[in-house]
Amino acid sequence: PPPPPALAPRRDEWENHMKTTGEVFGLLQWIMITPKPKDYAAEMVGACDFWSNKIRVQHKGKSPEQIAWVDALKGLLQGLVAYIKDHHLAGVAYNNAKGGKLEDAAGAAAAAAPPPAPKAAAAPKKAAPAGGAGGLMAELAKKKTAGGDSAASGLKAVTKDQQTWRKEFSGGDAKAAPAPKPKVAPRAGPKSIVTGPAVCEYKDQGMKWSVENQTKESGVVTVEITDPKQQVYIFKCDGATIDIKGKCKGIVVDTAVKTNVLFDSVISSCEIVNCKRMQVQSRGMVPSIAIDKTDGILVYVSKESASTTTFVTSKSSEMNVSWPDANDDMQEKCIPEQFQHKLDPEKGSISSDISDLYSH
């Protein structure tokens, strides 16, 4: 008859412990590893974790002592790796230059040890009052005698004006003096661009009107044009309103903020440069409006000039144009700021189109 089948070896419940311990003994070989024993020790810690994690799974929720043993072992090995990194990074280091005999070191340590200090005599213990609430109340109620003090002796008497629950309470020592509130510096407003006295004058040289440093407090500044060859130069105005009456050669607005400019007609162009939050209105004809380095501008164009006015813009943002349609209803559109550029290598040129973000 055939022999009976061999029985599979029975696993012992301490098998994972034995294999974990074997990996620990292998880690002790770090003293023979050069030049980087730390890397070897770290790899062996990972090998120990392989078997110790099986112990965690086996005893999870059943035996907290086993989990605590695994945690303690892991902490011990990590401490050993840190020690190797701090003191033996390139290999085991010996103190050959400064070393001595073990017997001499032991004798020196014994001689350096200070003699034990004599024990101080124990102070006599004070008799404790009788325990419980009754003993405490009796001690508090005890009156001061010639031979001793009660537990309440030395306490400060509290008057009615110091008892917070009485209407006679006036603060006293119970209420701390309020700390002085720090003074908050007033917030500085936006700095004005106006740097000098307001100017609105005509100069024969160049046939130019100069309007400078006007503010909201100046009211409406009116410029009367007497010759179409005259031009108007507006500089550093903040919150001003400037009304130009009559037909002029050209208008230049430079470094202005929140300023309103109104004019009748211009022969050449109206230029707005280095400005912010502007409003410009044309009551008559204006062939061209140039906007350069300006953030925020609304241009009103008259009905008669809406179909002929051209706009030239560069390095500007938030530009809008408003004009009346055939029914005298005001229309408003934004001037595109984003473009698509295409390179044509064969022709050696670049074509530009308005971005799809704009519907007009």
PDB file of all heavy atoms in Angstrom, residues 91-116:
ATOM      1  N   GLY A  91      31.297  54.934   9.418  1.00  0.00           N
ATOM      2  CA  GLY A  91      31.767  53.663   9.969  1.00  0.00           C
ATOM      3  C   GLY A  91      32.035  53.813  11.454  1.00  0.00           C
ATOM      4  O   GLY A  91      31.939  54.913  12.030  1.00  0.00           O
ATOM      5  N   VAL A  92      32.334  52.702  12.095  1.00  0.00           N
ATOM      6  CA  VAL A  92      32.575  52.740  13.536  1.00  0.00           C
ATOM      7  C   VAL A  92      33.818  53.584  13.812  1.00  0.00           C
ATOM      8  O   VAL A  92      34.889  53.355  13.229  1.00  0.00           O
ATOM      9  CB  VAL A  92      32.753  51.322  14.098  1.00  0.00           C
ATOM     10  CG1 VAL A  92      33.062  51.382  15.591  1.00  0.00           C
ATOM     11  CG2 VAL A  92      31.500  50.501  13.856  1.00  0.00           C
ATOM     12  N   ALA A  93      33.668  54.590  14.671  1.00  0.00           N
ATOM     13  CA  ALA A  93      34.773  55.486  15.020  1.00  0.00           C
ATOM     14  C   ALA A  93      35.273  55.142  16.411  1.00  0.00           C
ATOM     15  O   ALA A  93      34.483  55.056  17.367  1.00  0.00           O
ATOM     16  CB  ALA A  93      34.305  56.941  14.965  1.00  0.00           C
ATOM     17  N   TYR A  94      36.613  54.944  16.534  1.00  0.00           N
ATOM     18  CA  TYR A  94      37.231  54.610  17.823  1.00  0.00           C
ATOM     19  C   TYR A  94      38.028  55.802  18.335  1.00  0.00           C
ATOM     20  O   TYR A  94      38.600  56.567  17.557  1.00  0.00           O
ATOM     21  CB  TYR A  94      38.154  53.403  17.676  1.00  0.00           C
ATOM     22  CG  TYR A  94      37.434  52.144  17.268  1.00  0.00           C
ATOM     23  CD1 TYR A  94      37.370  51.768  15.934  1.00  0.00           C
ATOM     24  CD2 TYR A  94      36.802  51.345  18.214  1.00  0.00           C
ATOM     25  CE1 TYR A  94      36.706  50.614  15.549  1.00  0.00           C
ATOM     26  CE2 TYR A  94      36.132  50.187  17.838  1.00  0.00           C
ATOM     27  CZ  TYR A  94      36.089  49.827  16.507  1.00  0.00           C
ATOM     28  OH  TYR A  94      35.428  48.703  16.127  1.00  0.00           O
ATOM     29  N   ASN A  95      38.081  55.945  19.644  1.00  0.00           N
ATOM     30  CA  ASN A  95      38.783  57.053  20.270  1.00  0.00           C
ATOM     31  C   ASN A  95      40.210  56.617  20.615  1.00  0.00           C
ATOM     32  O   ASN A  95      40.598  56.547  21.776  1.00  0.00           O
ATOM     33  CB  ASN A  95      38.021  57.501  21.521  1.00  0.00           C
ATOM     34  CG  ASN A  95      38.546  58.823  22.053  1.00  0.00           C
ATOM     35  OD1 ASN A  95      39.283  59.529  21.372  1.00  0.00           O
ATOM     36  ND2 ASN A  95      38.182  59.141  23.284  1.00  0.00           N
ATOM     37  N   ASN A  96      40.996  56.272  19.583  1.00  0.00           N
ATOM     38  CA  ASN A  96      42.348  55.775  19.818  1.00  0.00           C
ATOM     39  C   ASN A  96      43.279  56.850  20.354  1.00  0.00           C
ATOM     40  O   ASN A  96      44.172  56.590  21.157  1.00  0.00           O
ATOM     41  CB  ASN A  96      42.913  55.211  18.504  1.00  0.00           C
ATOM     42  CG  ASN A  96      42.125  53.995  18.043  1.00  0.00           C
ATOM     43  OD1 ASN A  96      41.613  53.238  18.868  1.00  0.00           O
ATOM     44  ND2 ASN A  96      42.026  53.810  16.736  1.00  0.00           N
ATOM     45  N   ALA A  97      43.097  58.105  19.885  1.00  0.00           N
ATOM     46  CA  ALA A  97      44.039  59.163  20.256  1.00  0.00           C
ATOM     47  C   ALA A  97      43.910  59.563  21.719  1.00  0.00           C
ATOM     48  O   ALA A  97      44.900  59.874  22.383  1.00  0.00           O
ATOM     49  CB  ALA A  97      43.825  60.373  19.354  1.00  0.00           C
ATOM     50  N   LYS A  98      42.690  59.581  22.243  1.00  0.00           N
ATOM     51  CA  LYS A  98      42.464  60.076  23.593  1.00  0.00           C
ATOM     52  C   LYS A  98      42.038  58.966  24.561  1.00  0.00           C
ATOM     53  O   LYS A  98      41.602  59.247  25.661  1.00  0.00           O
ATOM     54  CB  LYS A  98      41.403  61.180  23.581  1.00  0.00           C
ATOM     55  CG  LYS A  98      41.785  62.376  22.722  1.00  0.00           C
ATOM     56  CD  LYS A  98      40.686  63.423  22.752  1.00  0.00           C
ATOM     57  CE  LYS A  98      41.048  64.637  21.896  1.00  0.00           C
ATOM     58  NZ  LYS A  98      40.005  65.667  21.895  1.00  0.00           N
ATOM     59  N   GLY A  99      42.120  57.743  24.150  1.00  0.00           N
ATOM     60  CA  GLY A  99      41.648  56.656  24.992  1.00  0.00           C
ATOM     61  C   GLY A  99      42.612  56.336  26.125  1.00  0.00           C
ATOM     62  O   GLY A  99      43.771  56.745  26.139  1.00  0.00           O
ATOM     63  N   GLY A 100      42.135  55.582  27.073  1.00  0.00           N
ATOM     64  CA  GLY A 100      42.947  55.164  28.216  1.00  0.00           C
ATOM     65  C   GLY A 100      42.525  53.787  28.682  1.00  0.00           C
ATOM     66  O   GLY A 100      41.664  53.135  28.075  1.00  0.00           O
ATOM     67  N   LYS A 101      43.114  53.349  29.806  1.00  0.00           N
ATOM     68  CA  LYS A 101      42.762  52.051  30.338  1.00  0.00           C
ATOM     69  C   LYS A 101      41.422  52.101  31.045  1.00  0.00           C
ATOM     70  O   LYS A 101      41.070  53.093  31.679  1.00  0.00           O
ATOM     71  CB  LYS A 101      43.847  51.584  31.306  1.00  0.00           C
ATOM     72  CG  LYS A 101      45.187  51.300  30.639  1.00  0.00           C
ATOM     73  CD  LYS A 101      46.180  50.760  31.643  1.00  0.00           C
ATOM     74  CE  LYS A 101      47.509  50.427  30.975  1.00  0.00           C
ATOM     75  NZ  LYS A 101      48.492  49.873  31.935  1.00  0.00           N
ATOM     76  N   LEU A 102      40.697  50.990  30.954  1.00  0.00           N
ATOM     77  CA  LEU A 102      39.380  50.926  31.572  1.00  0.00           C
ATOM     78  C   LEU A 102      39.484  51.017  33.088  1.00  0.00           C
ATOM     79  O   LEU A 102      38.651  51.638  33.747  1.00  0.00           O
ATOM     80  CB  LEU A 102      38.681  49.621  31.157  1.00  0.00           C
ATOM     81  CG  LEU A 102      37.281  49.403  31.731  1.00  0.00           C
ATOM     82  CD1 LEU A 102      36.340  50.499  31.242  1.00  0.00           C
ATOM     83  CD2 LEU A 102      36.743  48.033  31.314  1.00  0.00           C
ATOM     84  N   GLU A 103      40.533  50.426  33.690  1.00  0.00           N
ATOM     85  CA  GLU A 103      40.667  50.467  35.140  1.00  0.00           C
ATOM     86  C   GLU A 103      40.886  51.895  35.636  1.00  0.00           C
ATOM     87  O   GLU A 103      40.345  52.314  36.676  1.00  0.00           O
ATOM     88  CB  GLU A 103      41.832  49.582  35.588  1.00  0.00           C
ATOM     89  CG  GLU A 103      41.639  48.101  35.314  1.00  0.00           C
ATOM     90  CD  GLU A 103      41.940  47.742  33.875  1.00  0.00           C
ATOM     91  OE1 GLU A 103      42.356  48.663  33.128  1.00  0.00           O
ATOM     92  OE2 GLU A 103      41.774  46.559  33.498  1.00  0.00           O
ATOM     93  N   ASP A 104      41.682  52.694  34.861  1.00  0.00           N
ATOM     94  CA  ASP A 104      41.927  54.077  35.274  1.00  0.00           C
ATOM     95  C   ASP A 104      40.657  54.907  35.200  1.00  0.00           C
ATOM     96  O   ASP A 104      40.388  55.750  36.063  1.00  0.00           O
ATOM     97  CB  ASP A 104      43.007  54.696  34.381  1.00  0.00           C
ATOM     98  CG  ASP A 104      44.342  53.959  34.536  1.00  0.00           C
ATOM     99  OD1 ASP A 104      44.514  53.265  35.567  1.00  0.00           O
ATOM    100  OD2 ASP A 104      45.180  54.086  33.616  1.00  0.00           O
ATOM    101  N   ALA A 105      39.854  54.683  34.167  1.00  0.00           N
ATOM    102  CA  ALA A 105      38.610  55.441  34.028  1.00  0.00           C
ATOM    103  C   ALA A 105      37.639  55.097  35.141  1.00  0.00           C
ATOM    104  O   ALA A 105      36.965  55.968  35.703  1.00  0.00           O
ATOM    105  CB  ALA A 105      37.984  55.161  32.658  1.00  0.00           C
ATOM    106  N   ALA A 106      37.581  53.806  35.530  1.00  0.00           N
ATOM    107  CA  ALA A 106      36.670  53.409  36.606  1.00  0.00           C
ATOM    108  C   ALA A 106      37.116  53.994  37.947  1.00  0.00           C
ATOM    109  O   ALA A 106      36.309  54.472  38.751  1.00  0.00           O
ATOM    110  CB  ALA A 106      36.600  51.884  36.690  1.00  0.00           C
ATOM    111  N   GLY A 107      38.456  54.018  38.202  1.00  0.00           N
ATOM    112  CA  GLY A 107      38.947  54.586  39.459  1.00  0.00           C
ATOM    113  C   GLY A 107      38.718  56.078  39.531  1.00  0.00           C
ATOM    114  O   GLY A 107      38.369  56.623  40.581  1.00  0.00           O
ATOM    115  N   ALA A 108      38.909  56.787  38.399  1.00  0.00           N
ATOM    116  CA  ALA A 108      38.695  58.239  38.390  1.00  0.00           C
ATOM    117  C   ALA A 108      37.241  58.580  38.622  1.00  0.00           C
ATOM    118  O   ALA A 108      36.901  59.544  39.308  1.00  0.00           O
ATOM    119  CB  ALA A 108      39.194  58.817  37.064  1.00  0.00           C
ATOM    120  N   ALA A 109      36.358  57.756  38.072  1.00  0.00           N
ATOM    121  CA  ALA A 109      34.924  58.021  38.257  1.00  0.00           C
ATOM    122  C   ALA A 109      34.529  57.820  39.710  1.00  0.00           C
ATOM    123  O   ALA A 109      33.723  58.573  40.271  1.00  0.00           O
ATOM    124  CB  ALA A 109      34.116  57.112  37.334  1.00  0.00           C
ATOM    125  N   ALA A 110      35.109  56.792  40.379  1.00  0.00           N
ATOM    126  CA  ALA A 110      34.779  56.564  41.785  1.00  0.00           C
ATOM    127  C   ALA A 110      35.317  57.660  42.677  1.00  0.00           C
ATOM    128  O   ALA A 110      34.674  58.085  43.643  1.00  0.00           O
ATOM    129  CB  ALA A 110      35.331  55.204  42.222  1.00  0.00           C
ATOM    130  N   ALA A 111      36.513  58.198  42.339  1.00  0.00           N
ATOM    131  CA  ALA A 111      37.085  59.262  43.149  1.00  0.00           C
ATOM    132  C   ALA A 111      36.344  60.576  42.977  1.00  0.00           C
ATOM    133  O   ALA A 111      36.261  61.392  43.888  1.00  0.00           O
ATOM    134  CB  ALA A 111      38.561  59.446  42.784  1.00  0.00           C
ATOM    135  N   ALA A 112      35.807  60.793  41.771  1.00  0.00           N
ATOM    136  CA  ALA A 112      35.106  62.060  41.503  1.00  0.00           C
ATOM    137  C   ALA A 112      33.720  62.096  42.101  1.00  0.00           C
ATOM    138  O   ALA A 112      33.120  63.165  42.207  1.00  0.00           O
ATOM    139  CB  ALA A 112      35.027  62.295  39.985  1.00  0.00           C
ATOM    140  N   ALA A 113      33.192  60.957  42.497  1.00  0.00           N
ATOM    141  CA  ALA A 113      31.833  60.926  43.034  1.00  0.00           C
ATOM    142  C   ALA A 113      31.807  61.616  44.388  1.00  0.00           C
ATOM    143  O   ALA A 113      32.609  61.298  45.275  1.00  0.00           O
ATOM    144  CB  ALA A 113      31.351  59.478  43.155  1.00  0.00           C
ATOM    145  N   PRO A 114      30.925  62.576  44.637  1.00  0.00           N
ATOM    146  CA  PRO A 114      30.867  63.279  45.931  1.00  0.00           C
ATOM    147  C   PRO A 114      30.301  62.371  47.013  1.00  0.00           C
ATOM    148  O   PRO A 114      29.512  61.470  46.738  1.00  0.00           O
ATOM    149  CB  PRO A 114      29.926  64.457  45.640  1.00  0.00           C
ATOM    150  CG  PRO A 114      29.053  63.985  44.528  1.00  0.00           C
ATOM    151  CD  PRO A 114      29.912  63.066  43.688  1.00  0.00           C
ATOM    152  N   PRO A 115      30.724  62.589  48.255  1.00  0.00           N
ATOM    153  CA  PRO A 115      30.179  61.761  49.339  1.00  0.00           C
ATOM    154  C   PRO A 115      28.705  62.063  49.533  1.00  0.00           C
ATOM    155  O   PRO A 115      28.238  63.168  49.263  1.00  0.00           O
ATOM    156  CB  PRO A 115      31.008  62.198  50.564  1.00  0.00           C
ATOM    157  CG  PRO A 115      31.467  63.584  50.219  1.00  0.00           C
ATOM    158  CD  PRO A 115      31.695  63.586  48.730  1.00  0.00           C
ATOM    159  N   PRO A 116      27.970  61.069  49.986  1.00  0.00           N
ATOM    160  CA  PRO A 116      26.526  61.289  50.178  1.00  0.00           C
ATOM    161  C   PRO A 116      26.270  62.322  51.266  1.00  0.00           C
ATOM    162  O   PRO A 116      26.928  62.356  52.297  1.00  0.00           O
ATOM    163  CB  PRO A 116      26.010  59.904  50.570  1.00  0.00           C
ATOM    164  CG  PRO A 116      27.205  59.191  51.110  1.00  0.00           C
ATOM    165  CD  PRO A 116      28.389  59.696  50.347  1.00  0.00           C
TER     166      PRO A 116
END
